[in-house]
Amino acid sequence: MASVTIRGVRKSYGDIQVMHGVDLDIGDGEFVVFVGPSGCGKSTLLRMIAGLEDISDGTVSIGDRVVNEVAPSKRGVAMVFQTYALYPHMTVYKNMAFGLKQAKTPQDEIDRRVRAAAEVLQITDYLERSPRNLSGGQRQRVAIGRAIVRDPEVFLFDEPLSNLDASLRVQTRLEIARLHRRLKSTMIYVTHDQVEAMTLADKIVVLRDGKVEQVGAPIDLYERPANRFVAQFIGSPKMNFFAHKDVASASALPKSVSVDTQIGIRPEHLVVCEPGEALVSGRIELVEQLGEYALVHLMTSNGTEFIAKMEKPPVEGIDGSLSFNVVPELVHFFDVKTGLRLP
Ligand code: ADP
Ligand code: MG
């Protein structure tokens, strides 16, 4: 196990800079998730930790050793890729044993480790099969097994669940969470899926355009997003944003609002109320009935669209009006120009 320390890390491909100075402290045994939209630099940052990409500037340390110039195989990391990257002509057993064999590990030690990992991942029955004859989920377990046998100080996962169908994704996500609890290793996990980030992470790092937007525990990012980007990225459906003129009784808010203020309210925090007590009101445009709850899409008289998450579809129906209130502590305030959270 080891900590990972990233200081002033930049990455350029030719003239194009894609990482713009990243600083991060990843604790020993922590499960850290890099999340952000496609192209924001998650894989690039992970690959620089793995040693698969050169670091243009700054340092990456694993434990107390700067590893910028250390070969990938000597960094004590093991990586799991979205595409599994298994050798098609080798059995599952040989795929899992390959790295250890390369490292000249004694045969009985290889056998012990492969069987132990297979047991954990419940793939013992497939050890003699070719990856070709496995489902996507089974292949991904083999790829995870191949990482486990190397007993790395740091596990690196790059969108490992993206090629799996929805139910398998949920199941494998739980298995990765269990694996972390069991191994207590440092894990760095890349995803564009905020649900994976929220459920797996001790700490989430939100990236955007090669910069860190916010670092924090999942619940902190949900409750106190540092800016509008994080506010919209964490939480589903996304946080609603209102202009000051959308808000009826601004005097009820804990902060004075002006044209320079944007008001953020999560769909799950809007509560139906009498028109006279409304903070925001809207005309119903669409209702998505999801059984467990309904997502009601509305528009204010000012033309701002928003979503309310309700226990049941409203009796008012399409084109009906609804009024909402919110507990004042659950209202977020942002600067219209900078997008930053107002203190
Ligand atoms: P993510 O994993 O978050 O989707 P990446 O780390 O793959 O994003 O990419 C970050 C940025 O770097 C993107 O703009 C991408 O186009 C660029 N990039 C990645 N690899 C290369 C490369 N080999 N050459 C040039 N640009 C690259
Ligand atoms: Mg990527």
Side-chain angles (χ1 to χ4, degrees):
M1 291 202 286
S3 59
V4 177
T5 311
I6 297 172
R7 287 288 173 267
V9 162
R10 291 167 197 277
K11 175 72 183 175
S12 303
Y13 292 104
D15 292 341
I16 301 164
Q17 192 171 348
V18 298
M19 301 299 308
H20 304 277
V22 171
D23 294 292
L24 272 182
D25 290 290
I26 296 170
D28 191 4
E30 224 172 10
F31 199 124
V32 173
V33 176
F34 296 169
V35 72
S38 179
C40 69
K42 306 179 294 294
S43 295
T44 303
L45 190 56
L46 197 72
R47 292 169 63 83
M48 285 194 282
I49 298 169
L52 303 175
E53 294 284 353
D54 289 336
I55 298 162
S56 307
D57 197 16
T59 59
V60 171
S61 305
I62 298 177
D64 43 23
R65 178 170 70 138
V66 174
V67 295
N68 287 41
E69 304 303 328
V70 177
S73 62
K74 301 272 188 288
R75 290 190 184 194
V77 303
M79 187 142 160
V80 177
F81 300 88
Q82 178 180 345
T83 53
Y84 322 134
L86 301 176
Y87 299 107
H89 58 284
M90 289 184 196
T91 62
V92 167
Y93 186 101
K94 285 188 172 147
N95 263 285
M96 285 168 68
F98 187 75
L100 295 177
K101 220 167 182 156
Q102 294 289 92
K104 306 226 168 4
T105 311
Q107 185 55 46
D108 56 345
E109 174 70 9
I110 293 179
D111 195 62
R112 197 185 58 74
R113 288 206 207 174
V114 168
R115 291 189 186 282
E119 202 60 41
V120 171
L121 296 162
Q122 297 172 319
I123 51 174
T124 305
D125 291 347
Y126 314 131
L127 282 175
E128 293 313 316
R129 277 204 212 170
S130 147
R132 211 177 353 238
N133 301 325
L134 298 178
S135 70
Q138 289 164 341
R139 281 179 210 179
Q140 191 52 287
R141 284 185 206 193
V142 177
I144 294 170
R146 191 175 48 183
I148 294 174
V149 297
R150 297 185 48 200
D151 192 22
E153 306 220 67
V154 183
F155 281 85
L156 306 173
F157 295 93
D158 194 354
E159 310 227 17
L161 309 185
S162 297
N163 286 359
L164 306 180
D165 63 44
S167 73
L168 202 54
R169 212 151 55 216
V170 173
Q171 188 193 328
T172 315
R173 190 177 84 206
L174 290 170
E175 281 171 15
I176 291 175
R178 264 186 229 117
L179 192 68
H180 179 247
R181 224 179 311 145
R182 180 177 180 139
L183 301 176
K184 299 185 172 64
S185 316
T186 309
M187 293 189 174
I188 308 177
Y189 185 104
V190 161
T191 181
H192 63 271
D193 182 325
Q194 61 95 22
V195 176
E196 276 176 36
M198 289 296 282
T199 53
L200 285 170
D202 294 319
K203 192 156 90 185
I204 294 179
V205 178
V206 182
L207 291 165
R208 178 196 195 185
D209 296 338
K211 291 195 201 86
V212 174
E213 291 281 311
Q214 191 171 3
V215 179
I219 195 65
D220 294 339
L221 268 54
Y222 176 83
E223 289 179 347
R224 285 190 65 80
N227 56 50
R228 213 159 45 203
F229 179 79
V230 176
Q232 282 220 307
F233 202 82
I234 301 290
S236 177
K238 290 183 196 322
M239 184 184 284
N240 298 304
F241 291 118
F242 299 97
H244 90 293
K245 56 184 171 182
D246 288 317
V247 175
S249 54
S251 59
L253 291 171
K255 230 180 266 305
S256 67
V257 294
S258 69
V259 286
D260 299 322
T261 317
Q262 214 164 21
I263 296 143
I265 304 173
R266 295 198 180 277
E268 57 272 35
H269 294 154
L270 287 166
V271 181
V272 174
C273 67
E274 293 301 320
E277 292 153 11
L279 181 64
V280 288
S281 308
R283 186 172 50 76
I284 301 170
E285 300 215 297
L286 178 79
V287 177
E288 293 179 284
Q289 163 65 288
L290 291 145
E292 179 194 355
Y293 57 86
L295 295 179
V296 184
H297 297 247
L298 302 110
M299 192 184 276
T300 67
S301 58
N302 188 32
T304 301
E305 293 180 18
F306 66 104
I307 298 177
K309 185 174 177 181
M310 296 174 63
E311 238 169 80
K312 292 195 175 67
V315 291
E316 283 79 358
I318 302 298
D319 284 334
S321 290
L322 279 178
S323 302
F324 298 93
N325 220 322
V326 191
V327 178
E329 297 80 65
L330 296 175
V331 181
H332 305 257
F333 301 89
F334 301 95
D335 183 301
V336 166
K337 284 191 202 74
T338 63
L340 293 176
R341 180 185 197 87
L342 296 169

PDB file of all heavy atoms in Angstrom, residues 13 18 37-45, ligand 1:
ATOM      1  N   TYR A  13       0.707  17.333 -25.590  1.00  0.00           N
ATOM      2  CA  TYR A  13       0.980  16.537 -26.789  1.00  0.00           C
ATOM      3  C   TYR A  13       1.387  17.548 -27.851  1.00  0.00           C
ATOM      4  O   TYR A  13       0.548  18.321 -28.316  1.00  0.00           O
ATOM      5  CB  TYR A  13      -0.259  15.766 -27.238  1.00  0.00           C
ATOM      6  CG  TYR A  13      -0.685  14.670 -26.294  1.00  0.00           C
ATOM      7  CD1 TYR A  13      -1.780  14.830 -25.449  1.00  0.00           C
ATOM      8  CD2 TYR A  13       0.000  13.449 -26.263  1.00  0.00           C
ATOM      9  CE1 TYR A  13      -2.174  13.810 -24.595  1.00  0.00           C
ATOM     10  CE2 TYR A  13      -0.388  12.430 -25.409  1.00  0.00           C
ATOM     11  CZ  TYR A  13      -1.476  12.622 -24.587  1.00  0.00           C
ATOM     12  OH  TYR A  13      -1.859  11.621 -23.741  1.00  0.00           O
ATOM     13  N   VAL A  18      -2.863  19.513 -22.402  1.00  0.00           N
ATOM     14  CA  VAL A  18      -4.143  18.902 -22.005  1.00  0.00           C
ATOM     15  C   VAL A  18      -4.309  18.782 -20.484  1.00  0.00           C
ATOM     16  O   VAL A  18      -5.433  18.653 -20.002  1.00  0.00           O
ATOM     17  CB  VAL A  18      -4.374  17.527 -22.678  1.00  0.00           C
ATOM     18  CG1 VAL A  18      -4.433  17.686 -24.195  1.00  0.00           C
ATOM     19  CG2 VAL A  18      -3.332  16.505 -22.296  1.00  0.00           C
ATOM     20  N   PRO A  37     -16.315  14.843 -17.624  1.00  0.00           N
ATOM     21  CA  PRO A  37     -16.805  14.504 -18.960  1.00  0.00           C
ATOM     22  C   PRO A  37     -15.696  13.929 -19.839  1.00  0.00           C
ATOM     23  O   PRO A  37     -14.514  14.093 -19.539  1.00  0.00           O
ATOM     24  CB  PRO A  37     -17.317  15.839 -19.504  1.00  0.00           C
ATOM     25  CG  PRO A  37     -16.647  16.887 -18.695  1.00  0.00           C
ATOM     26  CD  PRO A  37     -16.344  16.287 -17.364  1.00  0.00           C
ATOM     27  N   SER A  38     -16.084  13.291 -20.905  1.00  0.00           N
ATOM     28  CA  SER A  38     -15.148  12.706 -21.849  1.00  0.00           C
ATOM     29  C   SER A  38     -14.167  13.773 -22.338  1.00  0.00           C
ATOM     30  O   SER A  38     -14.559  14.895 -22.645  1.00  0.00           O
ATOM     31  CB  SER A  38     -15.951  12.137 -23.014  1.00  0.00           C
ATOM     32  OG  SER A  38     -15.076  11.591 -23.945  1.00  0.00           O
ATOM     33  N   GLY A  39     -12.876  13.421 -22.356  1.00  0.00           N
ATOM     34  CA  GLY A  39     -11.861  14.341 -22.869  1.00  0.00           C
ATOM     35  C   GLY A  39     -11.289  15.296 -21.838  1.00  0.00           C
ATOM     36  O   GLY A  39     -10.450  16.128 -22.172  1.00  0.00           O
ATOM     37  N   CYS A  40     -11.697  15.179 -20.569  1.00  0.00           N
ATOM     38  CA  CYS A  40     -11.227  16.137 -19.559  1.00  0.00           C
ATOM     39  C   CYS A  40      -9.835  15.788 -19.032  1.00  0.00           C
ATOM     40  O   CYS A  40      -9.228  16.583 -18.320  1.00  0.00           O
ATOM     41  CB  CYS A  40     -12.220  16.235 -18.397  1.00  0.00           C
ATOM     42  SG  CYS A  40     -12.286  14.755 -17.379  1.00  0.00           S
ATOM     43  N   GLY A  41      -9.330  14.588 -19.363  1.00  0.00           N
ATOM     44  CA  GLY A  41      -7.967  14.237 -18.965  1.00  0.00           C
ATOM     45  C   GLY A  41      -7.848  13.161 -17.899  1.00  0.00           C
ATOM     46  O   GLY A  41      -6.767  12.954 -17.345  1.00  0.00           O
ATOM     47  N   LYS A  42      -8.932  12.454 -17.623  1.00  0.00           N
ATOM     48  CA  LYS A  42      -8.909  11.411 -16.591  1.00  0.00           C
ATOM     49  C   LYS A  42      -7.916  10.308 -16.925  1.00  0.00           C
ATOM     50  O   LYS A  42      -7.073   9.944 -16.105  1.00  0.00           O
ATOM     51  CB  LYS A  42     -10.311  10.773 -16.449  1.00  0.00           C
ATOM     52  CG  LYS A  42     -11.424  11.757 -16.189  1.00  0.00           C
ATOM     53  CD  LYS A  42     -12.772  11.056 -16.090  1.00  0.00           C
ATOM     54  CE  LYS A  42     -13.285  10.410 -17.357  1.00  0.00           C
ATOM     55  NZ  LYS A  42     -13.623  11.355 -18.448  1.00  0.00           N
ATOM     56  N   SER A  43      -8.021   9.770 -18.145  1.00  0.00           N
ATOM     57  CA  SER A  43      -7.124   8.676 -18.543  1.00  0.00           C
ATOM     58  C   SER A  43      -5.688   9.152 -18.606  1.00  0.00           C
ATOM     59  O   SER A  43      -4.770   8.435 -18.183  1.00  0.00           O
ATOM     60  CB  SER A  43      -7.529   8.114 -19.912  1.00  0.00           C
ATOM     61  OG  SER A  43      -8.795   7.528 -19.838  1.00  0.00           O
ATOM     62  N   THR A  44      -5.483  10.343 -19.108  1.00  0.00           N
ATOM     63  CA  THR A  44      -4.130  10.887 -19.215  1.00  0.00           C
ATOM     64  C   THR A  44      -3.477  10.959 -17.837  1.00  0.00           C
ATOM     65  O   THR A  44      -2.335  10.529 -17.650  1.00  0.00           O
ATOM     66  CB  THR A  44      -4.165  12.286 -19.871  1.00  0.00           C
ATOM     67  OG1 THR A  44      -4.792  12.158 -21.147  1.00  0.00           O
ATOM     68  CG2 THR A  44      -2.787  12.867 -20.036  1.00  0.00           C
ATOM     69  N   LEU A  45      -4.223  11.452 -16.860  1.00  0.00           N
ATOM     70  CA  LEU A  45      -3.675  11.565 -15.505  1.00  0.00           C
ATOM     71  C   LEU A  45      -3.375  10.178 -14.928  1.00  0.00           C
ATOM     72  O   LEU A  45      -2.311   9.948 -14.342  1.00  0.00           O
ATOM     73  CB  LEU A  45      -4.676  12.329 -14.618  1.00  0.00           C
ATOM     74  CG  LEU A  45      -4.192  12.741 -13.240  1.00  0.00           C
ATOM     75  CD1 LEU A  45      -2.919  13.580 -13.318  1.00  0.00           C
ATOM     76  CD2 LEU A  45      -5.280  13.542 -12.509  1.00  0.00           C
TER      77      LEU A  45
HETATM   78  P1  ADP B   1     -10.711  11.284 -20.722  1.00  0.00           P
HETATM   79  O1  ADP B   1     -10.057  10.016 -20.301  1.00  0.00           O
HETATM   80  O2  ADP B   1     -11.093  12.169 -19.575  1.00  0.00           O
HETATM   81  O3  ADP B   1     -11.864  11.071 -21.642  1.00  0.00           O
HETATM   82  P2  ADP B   1      -8.167  11.761 -22.043  1.00  0.00           P
HETATM   83  O4  ADP B   1      -7.249  11.779 -20.878  1.00  0.00           O
HETATM   84  O5  ADP B   1      -8.194  10.526 -22.854  1.00  0.00           O
HETATM   85  O6  ADP B   1      -9.644  12.144 -21.564  1.00  0.00           O
HETATM   86  O7  ADP B   1      -7.810  12.966 -23.023  1.00  0.00           O
HETATM   87  C1  ADP B   1      -7.592  14.275 -22.547  1.00  0.00           C
HETATM   88  C2  ADP B   1      -7.270  15.166 -23.718  1.00  0.00           C
HETATM   89  O8  ADP B   1      -6.022  14.788 -24.283  1.00  0.00           O
HETATM   90  C3  ADP B   1      -8.294  15.094 -24.830  1.00  0.00           C
HETATM   91  O9  ADP B   1      -8.498  16.377 -25.323  1.00  0.00           O
HETATM   92  C4  ADP B   1      -7.614  14.204 -25.847  1.00  0.00           C
HETATM   93  O10 ADP B   1      -8.044  14.523 -27.155  1.00  0.00           O
HETATM   94  C5  ADP B   1      -6.150  14.536 -25.648  1.00  0.00           C
HETATM   95  N1  ADP B   1      -5.267  13.396 -25.990  1.00  0.00           N
HETATM   96  C6  ADP B   1      -5.245  12.201 -25.387  1.00  0.00           C
HETATM   97  N2  ADP B   1      -4.298  11.388 -25.925  1.00  0.00           N
HETATM   98  C7  ADP B   1      -3.708  12.116 -26.910  1.00  0.00           C
HETATM   99  C8  ADP B   1      -2.627  11.864 -27.835  1.00  0.00           C
HETATM  100  N3  ADP B   1      -1.988  10.697 -27.848  1.00  0.00           N
HETATM  101  N4  ADP B   1      -2.321  12.864 -28.671  1.00  0.00           N
HETATM  102  C9  ADP B   1      -2.945  14.049 -28.662  1.00  0.00           C
HETATM  103  N5  ADP B   1      -3.956  14.348 -27.804  1.00  0.00           N
HETATM  104  C10 ADP B   1      -4.323  13.406 -26.940  1.00  0.00           C
END
